[in-house]
Every structure is written in structure tokens, then in C-alpha cells.
Amino acid sequence: MSNQHGHKARKRFGQNFLHDPGVIEKIVRSINPKPEDVIVEIGPGLGAITEEILAINPRLQVVELDRDLIPVLRTKFFNYPDFKIHEADALSFDFSQLATDRPLRIVGNLPYNISTPLIFHLLAQAGVVQDMHFMLQKEVVQRLAAVPGDNNYGRLGIMAQYFCKVQPLFEVGPGAFRPAPKVDSAIVRLVPHKELPHPAKDLKTLQSVVRTAFNARRKTLRKALAAMVTVEQLQSLDINDGLRPENLSLADYVRIADLLADAKSANSGADEVSND
């Protein structure tokens, strides 16, 4: 499916170009860009959202992987000398290098085929981010915002909520895009916490516990986490080992991870003593 610029949406980049002016306006209103903001757009496509933001913030930066789109964007926005295009893969791009004395505001109509790993990549850089506004598959937004007990609750939601406040904003139907995707979309706002509500002693341990638990989400905690934690350890935290991974809150997972982190540091301390 080509468009007025003769660019064909490419399946391997998961491209669906936004063209509905009403939806574009609603998204930009939600972002509420200011002239002084440091705004980075991921995957600008044909520049539908880019155009509206540039009119307010002429120093907008974009990250685009499809090199065929770059001349289209350069031509379309030639009268914005401070507009900057980074030809790069957002999945490996170091966003923190763009942060100045101001934190980043990141926006994007994210390709559905890479949205989950891309969100994890961005969460790891949440320390330099003011907020993020993304168009995602509706189901991904439901997973980001899910609470314990929801079918959609899992690793993505827990880790997103560890770093950010998650606010689903509104849904967008397939007709707003060319080509029309086979799924509904939604806009979500992620705002990194100024102070983490449940800081873990060791982030890697927390990530490992959550990943292990949800790799066996149909099993009880006793079985799902058998390789990491004993029934006695779970009981010492007043956590019922007969529950399933989807029944535990972020705070519960942090408590399990902290117990393991403490045990690990106690063991390494004991090793040091025995080696002296």
C-alpha cells in the first residue's frame, strides 16, 4: 500500500502509517509538547505526528531505521534546520546520549513486532526520561496497565510499573492507519517515578524472579520458582506458595527478590570469611 509520497509500507518494519487528522490531533494534545522540551520520536514514518510537533518544537529529533523514509522526511521538513534525524535501530539506540539538562520526552507509533523489547530497552533508560507516549497494540497497553489477577498481567506490566506510572489514554481503530492493521491500537502514557515505590535491592534478581515465575505462569509459585526459592522462604514472607504468578503484586516480587539478594550477599560474605 503506497501513499502520497510513493513510499510502500514495509512489513518487516511493521509499518502502519497514521493518517487520520482527528487522531493525530488528539495524540499531540495528549503529549502537549512545549518549545523548550527535548522530544524524541521513534519511527516517525511519513511524519504525521512529526509535522504537528515540529510546528511547536522545531528541535524535534527522530530515530528512523527505514533508510527509504529519511529522504522523504528531509524533503518534507527542509525548512526546519534544527530538525535532526538519527538513522538507527531504536532497539539498540542509546537514548540517554540525547538527554541534556532537560529529561527526554519520547513519543512514537511503535512497530507492533518490536514493541515489547523496545519498551524494556527504554525502561532501562528511564532515569533520563520525563515521560513517554506510545501508540501500541491495544493488548500491549492492557498488559502494561494490568493488575494482579488480570489475564494480561505478567512480566511486561510488572517491570513497566516498577519504573513508571502507566496511564492508558484512548483507543484507536484500524481505520486511522494505512495499511489498516488487523488489531485495535491504543495510546499509553508512561511517566517514570520520581522515587521508585518498591525499590529492589538488586534489579537483576528482581528481573530474574519475574521472568522465571511467568515462564511457568500456569503453575503454582512452589513449582514455578522451585529453582530459585524454597517453600519455607516463601512462607517466611507470608506468601502463599499455592498461588499462581499472576496473583502476586509488584511489592511481593520485590520482597522475594530482596530475600534472595540478602541470601546471596550473606553467602558471599561467608565465602570471604572462609577464604581469609
Side-chain angles (χ1 to χ4, degrees):
M1 184 81 161
S2 59
N3 50 65
Q4 72 272 34
H5 295 282
H7 182 88
K8 196 169 185 303
R10 291 163 74 170
K11 208 169 186 140
R12 78 182 176 99
F13 292 136
Q15 288 172 340
N16 299 90
F17 299 124
L18 196 56
H19 70 85
D20 183 318
V23 171
I24 293 163
E25 187 196 340
K26 202 171 173 186
I27 291 169
V28 175
R29 227 180 18 245
S30 301
I31 297 167
N32 190 19
K34 301 280 191 285
E36 65 276 12
D37 290 338
V38 182
I39 306 180
V40 186
E41 184 182 5
I42 296 171
L46 295 163
I49 295 173
T50 319
E51 187 167 17
E52 302 300 319
I53 296 177
L54 271 173
I56 301 164
N57 183 312
R59 288 168 309 156
L60 173 69
Q61 303 182 62
V62 300
V63 178
E64 179 54 68
L65 179 60
D66 184 351
R67 60 177 53 140
D68 290 351
L69 281 174
I70 289 170
V72 175
L73 293 165
R74 285 200 202 288
T75 306
K76 189 171 182 180
F77 303 121
F78 76 94
N79 54 340
Y80 288 99
D82 296 325
F83 173 58
K84 189 163 187 191
I85 301 173
H86 302 275
E87 187 183 329
D89 182 348
L91 275 172
S92 54
F93 188 74
D94 177 11
F95 287 86
S96 61
Q97 68 178 341
L98 306 182
T100 57
D101 52 339
R102 287 182 170 276
L104 301 178
R105 304 196 65 202
I106 302 176
V107 305
N109 169 16
L110 299 191
Y112 295 157
N113 54 350
I114 60 158
S115 59
T116 300
L118 185 50
I119 288 168
F120 277 112
H121 178 59
L122 292 164
L123 290 174
Q125 303 177 63
V128 295
V129 175
Q130 178 181 323
D131 58 23
M132 300 182 265
H133 290 80
F134 297 133
M135 167 99 72
L136 295 160
Q137 195 170 323
K138 179 177 155 185
E139 185 213 357
V140 176
V141 172
Q142 289 170 336
R143 284 166 54 204
L144 283 166
V147 295
D150 284 1
N151 285 341
N152 291 306
Y153 184 67
R155 178 173 163 243
L156 180 64
I158 291 170
M159 294 317 302
Q161 291 168 39
Y162 178 84
F163 288 107
C164 301
K165 182 180 176 194
V166 178
Q167 298 172 285
L169 299 181
F170 56 91
E171 293 177 18
V172 180
F177 302 90
R178 290 197 190 105
K182 294 183 173 65
V183 293
D184 285 332
S185 303
I187 303 290
V188 66
R189 178 186 291 135
L190 303 174
V191 183
H193 299 300
K194 294 251 186 308
E195 281 188 28
L196 296 177
H198 305 288
K201 292 179 179 177
D202 184 76
L203 180 58
K204 279 200 169 69
T205 304
L206 174 64
Q207 290 168 324
S208 179
V209 169
V210 174
R211 188 186 300 110
T212 304
F214 283 95
N215 279 346
R217 64 180 303 143
R218 297 278 162 257
K219 296 184 175 174
T220 60
L221 288 172
R222 180 185 340 77
K223 290 181 178 165
L225 290 175
M228 298 187 85
V229 63
T230 65
V231 170
E232 291 72 31
Q233 285 175 312
L234 288 171
Q235 287 171 346
S236 76
L237 297 172
D238 280 332
I239 292 173
N240 178 352
D241 60 288
L243 293 173
R244 291 205 166 134
E246 67 205 35
N247 300 124
L248 263 57
S249 67
L250 164 61
D252 292 331
Y253 279 109
V254 170
R255 285 164 58 222
I256 294 171
D258 284 354
L259 179 132
L260 293 175
D262 286 343
K264 198 171 161 187
S265 61
N267 285 342
S268 64
D271 287 347
E272 280 166 27
V273 170
S274 64
N275 288 335
D276 281 351

